[in-house]
Amino acid sequence: MIRKSILLLSLLMTAGLANVNAQYKKQLNHNTKKTIKMETAKTAIEKLLFNYQDALNASDVNKVLPLYTTDGVFMPQGGPSAIGQEQLKGAYEYVFKNLQLSIRFQIDEIVIVNEDYAFARTISRGTQLIHATGVKGEEENRELFVLQRANGEWKISRYIFNKMK
């Protein structure tokens, strides 16, 4: 009787351990896939931010607009918010008409909130040339980007910046 009880207990423990092992492997596989998804998202967001940097440096409205969601919002320091593609176009045309940027982004943080939303903090440093005066000066800003996946691509949903000095 004791032998049968020990045998039964051994079988139950073995089955239980096998189940725990299977659950552990499943969780590990899930975590690995989640990590890969997050790394893929971060890489795509970095690419988006550097494409935005390049569009600013090129003063190219046609390169800026596709980087925003259709209802994207640009909130420049000292200016009105531009909401939606039409207002974004007007805002960036105004900016590029008045100045030429030559900046580089430093990405301080990218946080993936979920599969469709993330935010990023950056610092941009470089120069700006004011077309009206010909004066060239240093440019340094802190930026906050709210990012959204739209049609499978990361886009700028909201963007705000302010001067550091």
Side-chain angles (χ1 to χ4, degrees):
M1 179 73 162
I2 292 178
R3 280 187 176 177
K4 287 183 181 179
S5 296
I6 291 173
L7 182 59
L8 181 59
L9 183 59
S10 295
L11 288 172
L12 289 173
M13 286 178 60
T14 302
L17 289 174
N19 187 34
V20 167
N21 191 31
Q23 287 177 349
Y24 173 75
K25 284 182 179 178
K26 184 177 179 182
Q27 184 63 39
L28 186 61
N29 188 33
H30 173 75
N31 288 345
T32 301
K33 285 180 182 177
K34 187 175 179 182
T35 300
I36 290 169
K37 270 186 167 181
M38 288 183 69
E39 289 304 315
T40 301
K42 283 187 177 185
T43 300
I45 289 168
E46 287 171 354
K47 182 179 178 186
L48 169 70
L49 294 173
F50 289 125
N51 285 343
Y52 181 66
Q53 166 195 279
D54 294 344
L56 292 176
N57 288 334
S59 297
D60 192 334
V61 174
N62 294 321
K63 288 184 180 177
V64 169
L65 294 178
L67 303 176
Y68 274 89
T69 59
T70 56
D71 64 344
V73 179
F74 170 47
M75 298 170 277
Q77 180 172 310
S81 294
I83 303 168
Q85 289 285 308
E86 187 175 321
Q87 288 184 13
L88 287 168
K89 183 177 188 228
Y92 281 97
E93 285 174 344
Y94 177 81
V95 168
F96 297 149
K97 177 181 166 192
N98 288 287
L99 55 94
Q100 171 66 51
L101 294 169
S102 179
I103 51 123
R104 292 283 170 239
F105 281 151
Q106 168 190 315
I107 300 172
D108 288 338
E109 177 181 37
I110 295 174
V111 176
I112 310 296
V113 177
N114 60 36
E115 289 184 8
D116 294 320
Y117 287 94
F119 66 86
R121 281 186 316 109
T122 64
I123 294 174
S124 61
R125 291 185 176 94
T127 60
Q128 75 171 359
L129 169 66
I130 300 172
H131 293 305
T133 63
V135 173
K136 190 175 190 176
E138 291 198 19
E139 180 72 5
E140 186 176 44
N141 293 291
R142 290 180 288 216
E143 296 98 6
L144 180 65
F145 293 87
V146 176
L147 307 158
Q148 181 180 359
R149 277 177 37 103
N151 299 321
E153 291 185 68
W154 286 99
K155 302 276 187 173
I156 300 167
S157 178
R158 307 294 184 264
Y159 169 58
I160 189 168
F161 68 91
N162 68 332
K163 301 273 184 211
M164 292 182 61
K165 296 177 184 177

